[in-house]
Structure formats: structure tokens, C-alpha cells
Amino acid sequence: MTDTLVFYSGPDPFEAWRDALAPHLGDTVKIENADKVTDPESVRFALVWMPPDGFFARFPNLELVINLGAGVDRLVARDDLPDVPITRLSDPEMGKMMAGFVLFSVLRHARDIPYFEAAQARREWAYKHPRAATEISVAILGLGELGALAATEVARQGFQTYGWATRARDLPGVTVEYGDDALLTLLGKVDIVVSMLPLTKATRKRLDAAAFAAMKPGASLINVSRGEVVDEDALVEALRIGHLSGATLDVFEAEPLAEDHPLWTLPGVLITPHLASVALPKSAAPQIAANIRAAQTGGTLANTVSRVHGY
Ligand code: NDP
């Protein structure tokens, strides 16, 4: 019997993923879009991004759930997730795309771009002497697959680069701090804070009023991970009173961001609609296929997710 891989995603096109995966999977795995599955009992693998409630109940023989992305918060929070291994993508192109977006955002603040945009709106030639990267410090919170690559890229540009995670690790050019107690001190010594933390019980609203108060006056925030890691009311207040000079925000507590949300119009804030990085079929297909093969042959899965830790 041929095994079936069921695909579900709102934003990602089925055809592109099927065409990228087919050459790697050969004849032993049939790839079907969720609404076209002919034999639910043959489905052993699911490649999904935010499937609807009750989705998994249709497939009694599932052996592996592959999250079509890096962030698994929505998936692991579900109460209908079958008791099978979960893997996530760890796509090198996705990592590059994210590192590029983080670098752009760091440079936006380091090179005072919000200041020049405001001056341009006033038709004002407002010279402000640039600072060297070596004079500017950046903290990357979360040094995972994407966070570590972004931190290395920021360090490569010459910024004083710090990282924060749950444990110590070596990253070239990055001073790594770890553990809960280290966070506020770290926030107090850098000019730019980048959230690359997954959303878990421990990180929900981790960047709250106390965290913003601990940040240097005039510092800026970049959030490319999950909106719920930030207490948005506290962020709005920190920006409103001018304690923070700006923010680059790709993710929000509620998406799409409501039309009347104060973040749209606060000075120095750039809003992008959750696109810092996306999963790319061609570069992600080999690792997805390798995990399916591993599941078929009893091999070792890569990029597994811990349900206990939530990432
Ligand atoms: P990983 O899951 O690989 O790594 C998470 C990192 O965060 C690890 O370094 C981990 O520490 C650290 N961490 C987790 N919990 C804590 C905590 N309580 N205190 C301190 N550090 C903690 O994540 P990725 O780098 O792959 O991705 C980060 C996030 O980016 C994803 O979870 C997702 O939400 C988001 N994302 C956003 C996209 C966008 O377009 N905006 C696209 C893709 C992903 P340790 O190393 O010690 O375990």
C-alpha cells in the first residue's frame, strides 16, 4: 500500500509543495491536498500550517506531523494533536531570509532611518552624523535555528552583539547570556533589542513594562518572532512617552493588526505583515522528504519539537 502525505496550509500553494516534494519522495508516498484525500486510512504523514480544529481526527494512522514553518506555538497548543512526533522546518533559505530581514531592521535603527523619514516628510535636510556599527550594541533574544544565524550576521557587520537563550553556547562574535536572571541586565546595556523567541508559556509577554523600563532610553525594539512575546500595551506606552525611540514589528498579538491600533501611527514604528521569512518549497523539500523516509524506515528524525518546552 502507498503511504499518503496530507498537505494543509492557508497561505502556501499545494501545487508548489507537491511539485517540490515529488522528486524526493518517489512512488512510495502519494501527496494529497487535505480536501482531496481519497483514503484517509492511508495517511501516515501530515505537512501542515495551522489546520482547522478537528483536522487530525480524520487520519487514524498518522505517524508524523511536519509543521510547515519554524514556529510551532499554534500546533503544540492544540488539544487535538495526535501523540506522534512533531518536526518543524529548518530550511537554510528561510534562515537566510530571516537573517536578512533582521539585518535590515537593525540597520534601520542603527542608521537613524526613522529620523530621516520624518525629516523627509517635512522636506528638511536634517544631517545627523552616523555612528559606527562598533559603537552600537544589539541583543538577539533567542538563539535557535533562525536566531543564531541572525545574531552571527549582525555580529559580522561589526555591531557589539549579545545573545540570550536558556543555556550557554558558543557563537562567533556573539556574547551569549543565559537564564531568566540575565535578561533585565542585558536589556539595560544595548541599543537595539531583537525578539527571536518562540512563543511558549515562559516567553508569553516576556517583554513587558518592566522589560521596557529596563531598556536604555532611546533604545529600539525589533520583533520578528511572535506578537504575544511582547506586552503590546506596554510597548505602546514605552513608545508614546519616548522611552523607546522606535520599533520594527513584523508580528502582533492579533493579526491582521486592527486598523485603529495605535502602533500604526506612533513615530519611528515600521509595521510589516508577518513576512520576515517564509518556508520555501525547493529548499525545504529535501529535509521534509528525509524525515518521511526516516519515519518509514525507523530512522532518526531531524528537527523534532519538544512538546514539553513548546519549541
Ligand atoms: P528555535 O525554536 O530554533 O529556538 C528558540 C530559541 O529561543 C532557543 O535559542 C532557545 O534557547 C530560546 N528560548 C526559548 N525559550 C526561552 C526562554 N524562556 N528564555 C530564554 N531563551 C529561550 O527558534 P527559531 O530561531 O527557529 O525561530 C524563532 C521564532 O521565529 C519561531 O519560534 C517563530 O515564532 C518565529 N518565526 C517568525 C517568522 C516570521 O516571518 N516573522 C518566520 C519563522 C519563524 P535554547 O537555545 O537555550 O533552547
Side-chain angles (χ1 to χ4, degrees):
M1 191 179 78
T2 310
D3 297 330
T4 301
L5 166 69
V6 62
F7 177 93
Y8 180 91
S9 171
D12 302 280
F14 168 68
E15 292 75 15
W17 284 91
R18 180 200 55 205
D19 295 350
L21 283 162
H24 298 278
L25 289 173
D27 295 339
T28 59
V29 181
K30 199 156 68 170
I31 310 165
E32 291 187 325
N33 206 5
D35 58 356
K36 298 267 164 33
V37 171
T38 45
D39 175 12
E41 302 224 330
S42 72
V43 171
R44 288 178 62 194
F45 318 110
L47 175 60
V48 292
W49 180 250
M50 295 206 261
D53 284 347
F55 177 86
F56 297 109
R58 285 174 61 204
F59 310 114
N61 298 319
L62 262 184
E63 287 174 22
L64 173 65
V65 175
I66 304 162
N67 184 59
L68 187 53
V72 293
D73 45 291
R74 297 282 174 91
L75 193 62
V76 297
R78 296 171 69 113
D79 48 22
D80 66 343
L81 195 58
D83 187 17
V84 299
I86 305 163
T87 62
R88 52 159 285 184
L89 298 193
S90 170
D91 167 7
E93 289 304 320
M94 187 182 201
K96 268 195 234 163
M97 195 185 263
M98 179 59 98
F101 192 92
V102 170
L103 188 57
F104 149 76
S105 307
V106 165
L107 289 170
R108 173 176 183 261
H109 295 288
R111 294 305 308 267
D112 303 309
I113 300 303
Y115 171 86
F116 296 116
E117 279 171 347
Q120 182 175 342
R122 300 190 302 270
R123 296 173 171 257
E124 195 183 313
W125 187 267
Y127 187 86
K128 189 173 185 184
H129 202 64
R131 292 164 297 162
T134 49
E135 289 171 28
I136 298 171
S137 48
V138 181
I140 312 282
L141 312 182
L143 298 171
E145 293 285 336
L146 302 174
L149 199 64
T152 318
E153 197 57 41
V154 168
R156 216 165 57 84
Q157 291 291 322
F159 292 99
Q160 297 166 37
T161 309
Y162 296 84
W164 185 64
T166 68
R167 53 208 151 136
R169 60 174 297 177
D170 274 338
L171 267 185
V174 182
T175 307
V176 176
E177 314 272 359
Y178 58 95
D180 258 347
D181 296 346
L183 181 62
L184 292 188
T185 312
L186 175 59
L187 293 178
K189 65 179 171 197
V190 298
D191 302 300
I192 301 170
V193 173
V194 187
S195 168
M196 302 200 71
L197 290 167
L199 176 62
T200 67
K201 282 192 198 104
T203 63
R204 185 176 293 276
K205 297 209 176 179
R206 195 68 186 76
L207 296 179
D208 57 6
F212 294 127
M215 282 168 68
K216 278 165 89 168
S220 31
L221 174 76
I222 296 164
N223 188 7
V224 290
S225 66
R226 285 293 180 266
E228 297 96 319
V229 170
V230 169
D231 179 336
E232 236 161 50
D233 292 340
L235 172 62
V236 166
E237 185 57 12
L239 287 161
R240 204 189 52 75
I241 63 174
H243 180 62
L244 295 190
S245 66
T248 300
L249 305 170
D250 186 54
V251 287
F252 303 89
E253 275 179 20
E255 296 176 6
L257 187 64
E259 222 180 291
D260 59 353
H261 201 288
L263 282 172
W264 285 112
T265 48
L266 278 163
V269 176
L270 174 68
I271 304 242
T272 51
H274 199 146
L275 42 64
S277 182
V278 293
L280 299 163
K282 271 206 178 122
S283 57
Q287 62 174 270
I288 294 171
N291 266 346
I292 289 173
R293 288 258 174 281
Q296 282 180 315
T297 58
T300 308
L301 294 170
N303 310 314
T304 49
V305 170
S306 156
R307 289 184 195 225
V308 177
H309 293 118
Y311 66 97

